[in-house]
Amino acid sequence: LTLLLTGFFTFTRLHDLRDETTNTGQLIANQLAVATEYGVIADNRQLLKNLLQASLATPQIRFLEVRDPQEKIIVYAEQAGAAKQDGSQIELFNAAIHRQGSPAQVRPSDNNYLGRVVIGMSNDSFNSRQQLILLKASLLGMIALLLTFIMARQLAQRISQPISAMAQAVKAIES
């Protein structure tokens, strides 16, 4: 029962961690897509580059791209040491860049798609947190098993001592 509960709670924590990582990456992509709209419309590459450089302050982000509707890269930025970290896995997040405005300004027949933002996030932070969760769960499971063993041993002694004493008394009566 102890192992089953520890396994369930560990699985739940790892699942929540994966969801948190995915939600964070997609949230950054969605916010960056909205922020880059003006730069894409105005074809202001310096503004886009500044936005991407500011976003690189997030430690998990390895690279950022802004692409046009034909999937050509308009602006690309990456972490300074990203090329050295080739052992880490990168997860990609995308968000479409759409022309914003009130419904009166944007007609349904207009093509509002301006391109997309691509974010490459490293799984290093996820992996280290995952290992920490597994280490804590293993430690907790070992402690729980040790306590279960101690309690079972004490219970067995409490049950077996009176029975042993009764068996010795019966042998003493027989002799």
Side-chain angles (χ1 to χ4, degrees):
L1 183 62
T2 301
L3 291 176
L4 186 64
L5 286 174
T6 303
F8 171 74
F9 289 126
T10 302
F11 173 78
T12 304
R13 291 266 327 258
L14 292 175
H15 184 70
D16 290 345
L17 179 62
R18 170 54 66 195
D19 286 348
E20 176 188 334
T21 303
T22 302
N23 290 341
T24 300
Q26 194 58 53
L27 182 66
I28 292 170
N30 291 344
Q31 290 176 343
L32 196 56
V34 172
T36 58
E37 176 201 2
Y38 174 75
V40 171
I41 291 172
D43 197 29
N44 188 338
R45 293 177 192 260
Q46 187 58 43
L47 174 68
L48 293 173
K49 187 78 169 169
N50 290 342
L51 281 169
L52 297 187
Q53 287 298 329
S55 297
L56 284 175
T58 305
Q60 301 99 309
I61 295 178
R62 292 292 171 243
F63 70 88
L64 298 152
E65 297 175 350
V66 176
R67 296 176 177 240
D68 66 8
Q70 290 77 36
E71 291 298 316
K72 293 179 187 170
I73 296 175
I74 299 172
V75 180
Y76 177 83
E78 70 179 342
Q79 289 279 358
K84 297 176 188 173
Q85 299 174 349
D86 42 42
S88 65
Q89 292 181 332
I90 295 190
E91 193 169 347
L92 297 177
F93 297 96
N94 299 292
I97 303 169
H98 291 286
R99 185 180 309 269
Q100 302 293 314
S102 68
Q105 294 171 322
V106 178
R107 285 181 240 124
S109 61
D110 290 344
N111 187 3
N112 295 324
Y113 180 72
L114 301 173
R116 68 183 175 121
V117 173
V118 179
I119 296 179
M121 286 183 64
S122 171
N123 280 340
D124 292 343
S125 175
F126 170 78
N127 290 339
S128 64
R129 289 178 64 191
Q130 181 182 29
Q131 288 175 354
L132 185 62
I133 288 171
L134 290 173
L135 177 68
K136 286 180 181 179
S138 299
L139 187 61
L140 179 65
M142 297 291 255
I143 290 171
L145 282 175
L146 181 65
L147 289 174
T148 303
F149 173 73
I150 291 171
M151 287 174 45
R153 187 165 181 244
Q154 286 181 348
L155 182 63
Q157 284 179 347
R158 286 184 184 165
I159 291 174
S160 66
Q161 281 179 350
I163 294 173
S164 295
M166 194 181 308
Q168 288 176 354
V170 169
K171 281 185 184 178
I173 294 174
E174 285 180 355
S175 346

